[in-house]
Amino acid sequence: MNPYLRGKPLPQTHTRPPRLSTILFGAPYYPEHWDPSMWERDAQLMAKAHFNTVRMAEFAWDRLEPRKGTSAFSLFKEVNALLGGYGSRTILCTPTATPPRWLTRAHPEVLRVMPDGRRCTHGSRQHACYASEAFRRHGRRITRAMAQAFAQDPNVVGWQTDNELNCGFSECVCPNCQVEYRRFLKRKYGSIDALNGAWGTAFWALTYGDFDDVEIPYERRPGSENPSARLDYYRYLSHIAVRFQREQVRELRRANPDWFVIHNGIFQHLDYYELSKDLDFLGFDNYPAFRLDTAPTKAEGAACIASRLDQARSYAGNLIVPEQQGGPGGQKAYLHDNPRPGEMRLWSYQSLAHGADGILHFRWRTCRFGAEEYWCGILDHDSVPRRRYREAQQEGAEFARLAADLLGTHVHIDVGILHSPEQDDAHRALSLGLPTPLEAAEHLHRALWMGKFAVGYVNPADGFHGLKLLVVPHLAMCDQELASKLTHYVEKGGTLLIGARSATKNMDNVVIEETPPGLLRDLAGITVEEYGKRPERHYRIILEQEVMPALWYEVLQPTVAKVLATWRGGHIDGQPAVTLATVGEGKVIYVGTYLARETADWIARLAVQQAAVEPLLTDVPSAVEVTIRESERGKLLFLLNHGDQPHTLRGLPGGLDILHNEPVGEELQLAPRQVAIIAIGD
Ligand SMILES: [Zn+2]
């Protein structure tokens, strides 16, 4: 039995919590970088910071197998036992993010070939191709050897596959990928005629005679490329990463089915919904400083991070943070701001508020050498415990107290925004200079987050249960299955908001021949009569008051919908811009412009009003974040002050502040960077 797991696996959906029996707390640890004489003191300091988990070995292939076929696992066995004695169990990692030099020298073909045709050299990470036969074989071999060696180790509770698949590099055009890409297409289409038909190769005389004619896309090929071919290449990249991981997961589960298996994301050209099917829970590496260092305000920065956390949670439903920022990150030409006192802890609580049940601070101690000499950890290079260590210590003590209340709860959302990496990739293949659906949706997420609404993302393949409002943010590709699901959702009483350009393509990334919005026409009760870019230069929208359009306009022709707003200006003056249809017990709002900074506020207001969605709290300053985690046991209200000023919150539901174990009435003082978690019952 795994001491960190309880219950049976739950179906994959956005309301699924991890089945953990404890909140994981600790850090990635690299004993291979430090003299063994330091390990025991490290273990003592970890115990004093209430660590229960360390993650190890993701970059240690050269230590684990110094030469081909030689296994050297004693270092990690020794450290596992030592840390176990001080209360920390281990998440081991398959070390395939950094294949050792003997492997890349014996098999130079495992190195990626970048889209410009140049092959990677050894010397960084993620430089091997997930489709390479030799790399996959060695990946399975080292995974099997490690899994068998640690199968009986009572201190190992779980595994992380690889490290940050597709981070830095996601593309490869090596000769092996060329072969594998053709195989992938042949499996998908069966015949070359089917591929020609699906891709529309009649355009620019692209027609292929057989699958060997199809070339993998290099950069700077002559001319613009076929968007269907480009999307299938992105799908291929996701496929080889998912397959690469699956081969490792099989080895791990075969050796010890009680282990949990995670992976840490999230990056481009990878369908994490698909990847998560092989995992117990998904990890999200959370480095808020990437956003906060450039955000105009703390609230704007916090909203960005909230969106990323919600995006990560949408794939597997459950979430842990295997790398939570534990100091300023520095690589190449950048170094983040050092988190101010209280900020690191605040960020950890933000992760918990968005569904995480595990926080590992990256990293235990700043490394003295290598590409991340200044990717700072809880401890500085000199191992002296300072304020970041003390802050982690506080978190550890608090998380241990909170575990009983927090575990088994999931994040409550009223508003779900559809998000799928495949739709974003389809868009990237021919973007017209418009933001991806996710980039556009982030504006709506921010507006709703600022308004204290319970908002999150939902995968189109997921269920839409519990959502009062569902948003289709410019998802161009639509099939009958999605159209039927959306129709069912509305008929049962849901409110659907459809953004411009939705359902304008089939799943091959080819424009439909029907009038837009194609399969959603009947549901929306409109057709699109005219469209174009940059409406902000010529037109406005009249919705009670005048509001701005952004990036794209559509002139709508209602069939059964009623008009909520009209265009002003030029030849489209007075024509419908926003409509509302009643379908079954629900409603469909169609908005004939794009989600953007200029439009998100009025679109959010309109949508929540039509869907009768109430904010979680009212009269709360923008810098104070509000979320709810819930279960059948009740609700936990998270309040996080991301600002530099204290705030008095009024009109609270009242309950017990479980962080400080104090009753809370209608009013609460929240100091800068402080957090409250209030159990409010039903
Ligand atoms: Zn390749």
Side-chain angles (χ1 to χ4, degrees):
M1 285 297 291
N2 189 325
Y4 282 7
L5 291 181
R6 62 182 183 183
K8 293 198 182 314
L10 299 166
Q12 181 178 358
T13 182
H14 65 273
T15 50
R16 169 176 71 159
R19 40 190 286 255
L20 288 166
S21 63
T22 185
I23 295 178
L24 306 182
F25 184 68
Y29 182 47
Y30 303 89
E32 69 274 26
H33 294 164
W34 304 96
D35 192 275
S37 64
M38 299 170 73
W39 295 346
E40 179 125 22
R41 180 171 176 270
D42 284 339
Q44 289 166 349
L45 282 174
M46 288 177 186
K48 283 182 186 164
H50 311 278
F51 275 26
N52 58 27
T53 309
V54 291
R55 189 194 71 180
M56 292 195 284
E58 77 272 26
F59 300 128
W61 197 339
D62 65 336
R63 305 283 135 170
L64 295 158
E65 191 180 22
R67 291 175 306 285
K68 185 183 173 187
T70 59
S71 53
F73 302 146
S74 57
L75 183 154
F76 289 100
K77 284 187 174 172
E78 190 181 337
V79 177
N80 284 346
L82 175 68
L83 296 177
Y86 284 92
S88 279
R89 311 247 183 185
T90 300
I91 298 173
L92 278 176
C93 304
T94 64
T96 42
T98 48
R101 181 59 182 137
W102 62 255
L103 198 161
T104 59
R105 191 159 177 197
H107 295 283
E109 76 276 14
V110 307
L111 293 166
R112 277 176 195 269
V113 175
M114 305 311 287
D116 65 3
R118 289 189 295 181
R119 198 179 274 283
C120 282
T121 54
H122 188 92
S124 181
R125 61 182 208 179
Q126 273 101 9
H127 45 280
C129 168
Y130 305 138
S132 155
E133 292 284 352
F135 187 50
R136 287 167 62 196
R137 189 171 67 249
H138 281 282
R140 289 192 298 267
R141 197 183 47 75
I142 186 69
T143 301
R144 189 180 314 133
M146 287 179 74
Q148 288 171 355
F150 291 98
Q152 305 303 321
D153 187 331
N155 294 301
V156 177
V157 286
W159 287 75
Q160 176 184 293
T161 55
D162 200 88
N163 181 75
E164 298 184 340
L165 291 163
N166 283 11
C167 170
F169 309 118
S170 52
E171 298 190 35
C172 183
V173 296
C174 73
N176 195 60
C177 275
Q178 176 67 81
V179 174
E180 285 280 308
Y181 180 50
R182 288 172 182 154
R183 270 189 210 146
F184 171 81
L185 295 174
K186 195 168 185 179
R187 262 198 313 278
K188 177 171 179 182
Y189 292 104
S191 75
I192 197 66
D193 289 345
L195 178 145
N196 282 320
W199 285 9
T201 53
F203 191 78
W204 284 350
L206 269 182
T207 305
Y208 300 110
D210 61 48
F211 284 96
D212 287 343
D213 281 349
V214 183
E215 291 179 293
I216 203 155
Y218 282 75
E219 267 176 13
R220 295 193 292 273
R221 294 196 308 172
S224 305
E225 63 184 333
N226 180 307
S228 304
R230 171 54 66 169
L231 173 59
D232 269 342
Y233 174 61
Y234 288 148
R235 284 171 169 149
Y236 161 78
L237 294 176
S238 182
H239 159 73
I240 58 173
V242 169
R243 183 182 63 180
F244 182 73
Q245 171 182 272
R246 184 168 295 151
E247 291 173 350
Q248 298 189 356
V249 173
R250 278 200 195 113
E251 298 292 346
L252 297 170
R253 299 220 189 272
R254 194 176 296 144
N256 185 341
D258 286 340
W259 283 329
F260 61 76
V261 183
I262 66 165
H263 177 71
N264 55 338
I266 45 180
F267 302 93
Q268 278 195 5
H269 309 318
L270 217 176
D271 185 342
Y272 286 96
Y273 189 82
E274 200 59 33
L275 189 88
S276 298
K277 289 179 178 171
D278 292 318
L279 301 173
D280 292 280
F281 26 96
L282 185 63
F284 169 57
D285 290 350
N286 188 11
Y287 292 98
F290 277 115
R291 306 272 175 136
L292 280 169
D293 284 1
T294 54
T297 64
K298 293 288 177 194
E300 291 267 346
C304 276
I305 300 151
S307 178
R308 290 280 288 170
L309 283 159
D310 287 346
Q311 181 197 340
R313 196 183 66 248
S314 73
Y315 302 119
N318 53 34
L319 187 65
I320 69 158
V321 182
E323 298 182 19
Q324 174 77 44
Q325 188 144 18
Q331 243 193 23
K332 300 177 191 169
Y334 68 84
L335 178 66
H336 296 147
D337 292 354
N338 200 350
R340 295 167 303 159
E343 207 163 27
M344 197 177 104
R345 172 174 167 271
L346 175 70
W347 295 341
S348 296
Y349 273 104
Q350 189 180 21
S351 293
L352 296 192
H354 287 268
D357 281 346
I359 300 285
L360 306 187
H361 276 299
F362 193 86
R363 58 182 76 202
W364 171 242
R365 178 172 41 235
T366 318
C367 194
R368 291 179 41 242
F369 41 79
E372 294 188 346
E373 282 180 356
Y374 286 95
W375 202 290
C376 302
I378 296 169
L379 297 181
D380 291 312
H381 299 100
D382 60 3
S383 303
V384 177
R386 298 192 174 91
R387 68 175 175 89
R388 293 202 301 269
Y389 171 82
R390 289 192 293 275
E391 207 163 302
Q393 203 171 23
Q394 183 185 353
E395 288 174 41
E398 290 171 349
F399 294 171
R401 282 208 312 275
L402 292 171
D405 288 311
L406 210 59
L407 293 168
T409 64
H410 65 266
V411 178
H412 171 87
I413 61 172
D414 292 319
V415 184
I417 305 174
L418 286 189
H419 159 62
S420 110
E422 184 185 51
Q423 292 275 0
D424 279 20
D425 276 344
H427 175 88
R428 287 186 187 101
L430 206 166
S431 75
L432 303 177
L434 293 165
T436 64
L438 179 61
E439 287 163 349
E442 282 174 339
H443 291 291
L444 182 68
H445 186 286
R446 188 196 63 250
L448 291 165
W449 183 93
M450 292 280 181
K452 318 307 171 194
F453 290 94
V455 57
Y457 296 98
V458 178
N459 193 281
D462 200 346
F464 305 147
H465 47 277
L467 301 175
K468 294 176 182 159
L469 172 64
L470 181 61
V471 180
V472 182
H474 324 298
L475 301 188
M477 295 194 302
C478 186
D479 58 11
Q480 190 56 56
E481 187 183 347
L482 178 59
S484 299
K485 276 180 77 173
L486 294 174
T487 304
H488 182 75
Y489 166 78
V490 175
E491 284 174 343
K492 294 290 176 195
T495 299
L496 182 69
L497 179 119
I498 303 173
R501 299 193 73 230
S502 295
T504 51
K505 292 184 155 193
N506 66 20
M507 299 309 283
D508 296 319
N509 216 9
V510 164
V511 178
I512 54 169
E513 58 188 334
E514 297 82 13
T515 304
L519 291 169
L520 301 184
R521 251 184 328 185
D522 290 345
L523 189 57
I526 54 110
T527 55
V528 176
E529 292 301 300
E530 176 179 327
Y531 60 82
K533 264 191 93 173
R534 287 177 289 280
E536 56 274 23
R537 293 170 67 187
H538 309 291
Y539 314 122
R540 297 291 179 267
I541 290 174
I542 305 302
L543 172 83
E544 294 171 354
Q545 297 170 335
E546 184 177 285
V547 293
M548 285 297 290
L551 303 174
W552 190 262
Y553 78 91
E554 289 179 354
V555 176
L556 311 181
Q557 177 72 49
T559 49
V560 295
K562 69 175 186 180
V563 178
L564 289 185
T566 53
W567 290 103
R568 169 177 286 176
H571 69 287
I572 64 171
D573 195 71
Q575 300 287 314
V578 181
T579 58
L580 175 70
T582 306
V583 179
E585 295 169 34
K587 297 176 179 176
V588 181
I589 308 159
Y590 191 97
V591 178
T593 190
Y594 236 68
L595 288 164
R597 182 163 286 277
E598 300 79 9
T599 59
D601 285 338
W602 69 257
I603 294 175
R605 267 199 309 277
L606 171 71
V608 296
Q609 186 191 359
Q610 286 295 339
V613 183
E614 297 292 332
L616 296 173
L617 288 176
T618 52
D619 299 324
V620 178
S622 63
V624 175
E625 178 168 17
V626 185
T627 74
I628 282 181
R629 287 183 63 157
E630 65 185 1
S631 70
E632 66 283 355
R633 302 195 306 270
K635 294 183 178 178
L636 301 173
L637 178 69
F638 280 72
L639 302 166
L640 302 96
N641 184 357
H642 293 280
D644 295 324
Q645 303 297 323
H647 290 292
T648 303
L649 307 178
R650 297 188 176 85
L652 299 177
L656 180 72
D657 180 344
I658 59 169
L659 189 51
H660 307 100
N661 202 26
E662 288 171 356
V664 176
E666 290 188 356
E667 198 170 301
L668 178 76
Q669 281 272 350
L670 208 53
R673 300 187 282 283
Q674 281 305 311
V675 181
I677 306 173
I678 305 171
I680 55 175
D682 278 326

